[in-house]
Amino acid sequence: MKTGNLGHSSFEILKKARELERAGREVIHLHIGEPDFNTPDNIIEAAYSAMKAGFTHYTDPQGIADLREAISWYQEVYRGVRIDPRRVIVTPGAKMMILYSLLVTVEPGDEVIYTDPGYMSYRAHISLAGGVPVAWKLTPEDGFFHDPEKLKSLISPRTRALILNFPHNPTGVTIKGDTLRELMKIAVDRGIYVISDEIYSRIIFDGEHTSALGMEGSDEFLFLIDGFSKTYAMTGWRIGYGIVPEKFVQMVVKLQMSTVSCATSFVQRAAIEAIKGPQDSVKVMVEAFKRRRDIATRILKDAGVSHVIPQGAFYVFPDLKVDTDRFANFLLENYGVAVLPGSYFGTRGKGHIRISFASSDEKIREGVMRILEALERFKSL
Ligand SMILES: Cc1ncc(COP(=O)(O)O)c(C=O)c1O
């Protein structure tokens, strides 16, 4: 199996940053794709209690019934849509569910549309599923607008699926209900499956999250992806889920059974607590991300660095208009700030960097100032 087309990983930058730290250098980590908060105590307690009570065995490969019920309840509360818990599949991380969705829908040679820039795993997963990735190129000039007309122009008789992601990694853009409805209609009318990755749905700064769940055709054509990694700072627990069309449930369950068997038993119990327990920690975290977004974007704006103001997730994706593959290295080595070069997110990411807000207010302020300083020097080299 060839892994050359699986793309970059943010772990590469982390490795380099760690090497510098081992050599005694201080590094500001603005490349991180996970909340800097710890998992709330009530969730940890729930996992511990489950373990102590002997809940340490294989579970139903689809996920324990109580968690699927809780996830179904969650959709009603946060997305206003009632769904049958039999359509919920609990997986070790949302990422796994993205791959399963592609594996059950895509035949070799089928085309799958994904956004460029976009989350780096999509392209890799499309290739793993034997599909042909078709890039939907977004531009900062129109705020990375997901233009329905542009989508239409990318569709061919071989188009099998479309991956959407709001709030969007790495740009932080969200979408208006009407536009999302239009995108859904374009796909559904043509029998194209929509994989809507809504992992950042609770991390919204202005307005409310718009979900594809419940939109026309979603029962038959939508794979809704969500999870616990971002909302509840549970990245290392590996727990996520999908809500899939009824006819695909058993296929996905089979895939899970024959690969990882099930999501970790006691983590599933912890996930119930995450959903049903107090939500104050989510509020605190989102307020912090919003404050940090404001800090970072104000500094960028004052310096005249072009960027689209993120409405959700915890990244900003400024256009530095330089070779950011080289710049990211220069920045890390000379100014001790780790960011991800935009090219990690596709060809349209060139010239950009992704700055993550998963660091303290002070470090973000200091880090962004250093980025500007480094940029001036880099340009004069
Ligand atoms: C857009 C997007 N989807 C999915 C994931 C992965 O989520 P999980 O940790 O649940 O696998 C990430 C993580 O960075 C992401 O940014």
Side-chain angles (χ1 to χ4, degrees):
M1 146 111 235
K2 293 209 172 56
T3 54
N5 57 357
L6 296 188
H8 290 285
S9 151
S10 52
F11 295 104
E12 292 165 19
I13 290 280
L14 180 63
K15 191 164 161 248
K16 193 157 186 182
R18 292 271 182 256
E19 276 164 20
L20 286 173
E21 283 174 327
R22 265 195 301 278
R25 294 275 306 281
E26 177 242 0
V27 175
I28 298 182
H29 295 268
L30 301 185
H31 58 96
I32 299 175
E34 61 177 337
D36 53 320
F37 294 82
N38 287 330
T39 306
D41 280 345
N42 61 311
I43 300 174
I44 293 172
E45 291 296 336
Y48 184 63
S49 303
M51 270 188 268
K52 288 291 265 186
F55 201 71
T56 53
H57 301 267
Y58 290 133
T59 71
D60 177 341
Q62 189 171 349
I64 58 176
D66 288 353
L67 176 55
R68 286 189 283 116
E69 287 281 352
I71 289 169
S72 160
W73 172 86
Y74 182 94
Q75 306 315 310
E76 206 167 342
V77 174
Y78 293 100
R79 294 189 168 92
V81 183
R82 183 180 277 239
I83 54 115
D84 186 338
R86 283 176 300 193
R87 286 177 52 207
V88 177
I89 297 152
V90 179
T91 51
K95 216 181 212 180
M96 202 66 186
M97 190 60 227
I98 298 166
L99 179 60
Y100 290 155
S101 306
L102 290 161
L103 287 171
V104 297
T105 51
V106 172
E107 297 292 337
D110 279 352
E111 293 173 4
V112 180
I113 301 173
Y114 70 104
T115 65
D116 175 353
Y119 177 49
M120 57 270 255
S121 290
Y122 299 144
R123 205 187 143 86
H125 285 188
I126 297 166
S127 300
L128 282 173
V132 178
V134 175
W136 178 358
K137 299 200 167 159
L138 307 175
T139 52
E141 288 74 25
D142 59 5
F144 299 110
F145 179 58
H146 289 59
D147 182 0
E149 291 308 314
K150 178 76 193 173
L151 172 63
K152 278 187 204 159
S153 75
L154 295 172
I155 292 173
S156 85
R158 293 286 333 234
T159 308
R160 175 53 70 132
L162 159 70
I163 305 179
L164 297 175
N165 169 221
F166 302 108
H168 185 257
N169 178 7
T171 67
V173 299
T174 53
I175 189 163
K176 291 203 165 64
D178 285 351
T179 314
L180 183 57
R181 215 164 286 116
E182 233 181 303
L183 300 182
M184 280 291 289
K185 184 165 169 38
I186 293 167
V188 168
D189 283 353
R190 292 160 178 78
I192 295 169
Y193 293 104
V194 177
I195 299 169
S196 181
D197 179 353
E198 302 184 13
I199 190 102
Y200 295 102
S201 61
R202 295 279 296 282
I203 306 176
I204 293 272
F205 308 133
D206 311 297
E208 290 202 338
H209 174 63
T210 312
S211 178
L213 194 69
M215 287 189 173
E216 214 175 317
S218 60
D219 283 356
E220 300 83 44
F221 288 98
L222 178 71
F223 289 76
L224 185 283
I225 313 283
D226 203 344
F228 299 79
S229 285
K230 316 289 174 174
T231 308
Y232 299 104
M234 291 176 71
T235 47
W237 296 67
R238 309 311 301 129
I239 181 105
Y241 62 87
I243 298 166
V244 314
E246 204 183 322
K247 74 169 186 181
F248 288 107
V249 171
Q250 285 316 313
M251 269 185 251
V252 175
V253 171
K254 259 192 186 162
L255 275 177
Q256 175 131 292
M257 211 156 41
S258 55
T259 52
V260 294
S261 300
C262 60
T264 305
S265 51
F266 46 85
V267 171
Q268 295 189 54
R269 281 275 180 83
I272 298 175
E273 175 61 21
I275 285 182
K276 293 280 187 132
Q279 301 293 301
D280 333 17
S281 54
V282 183
K283 193 162 172 273
V284 169
M285 189 176 74
V286 175
E287 276 167 7
F289 286 146
K290 182 172 183 186
R291 200 175 56 241
R292 296 167 185 177
R293 174 202 63 173
D294 292 344
I295 293 171
T297 53
R298 200 170 310 122
I299 301 172
L300 292 171
K301 182 166 179 267
D302 289 349
V305 174
S306 100
H307 63 283
V308 173
I309 295 189
Q311 307 294 316
F314 42 86
Y315 316 106
V316 62
F317 199 58
D319 185 359
L320 305 187
K321 303 186 196 307
V322 295
D323 175 350
T324 44
D325 286 321
R326 281 181 48 234
F327 176 72
N329 270 311
F330 175 82
L331 177 69
L332 181 55
E333 280 164 16
N334 298 287
Y335 291 81
V337 180
V339 295
L340 294 188
S343 63
Y344 278 29
F345 302 91
T347 54
R348 281 295 163 111
K350 284 195 178 123
H352 296 250
I353 53 169
R354 190 189 75 173
I355 300 173
S356 158
F357 309 146
S359 193
S360 68
D361 297 23
E362 295 68 36
K363 288 211 165 132
I364 287 176
R365 195 172 289 114
E366 174 64 24
V368 178
M369 298 297 283
R370 283 198 212 171
I371 290 170
L372 298 178
E373 224 181 291
L375 184 60
E376 279 313 302
R377 218 180 105 208
F378 186 77
K379 280 182 180 164
S380 68
L381 289 177

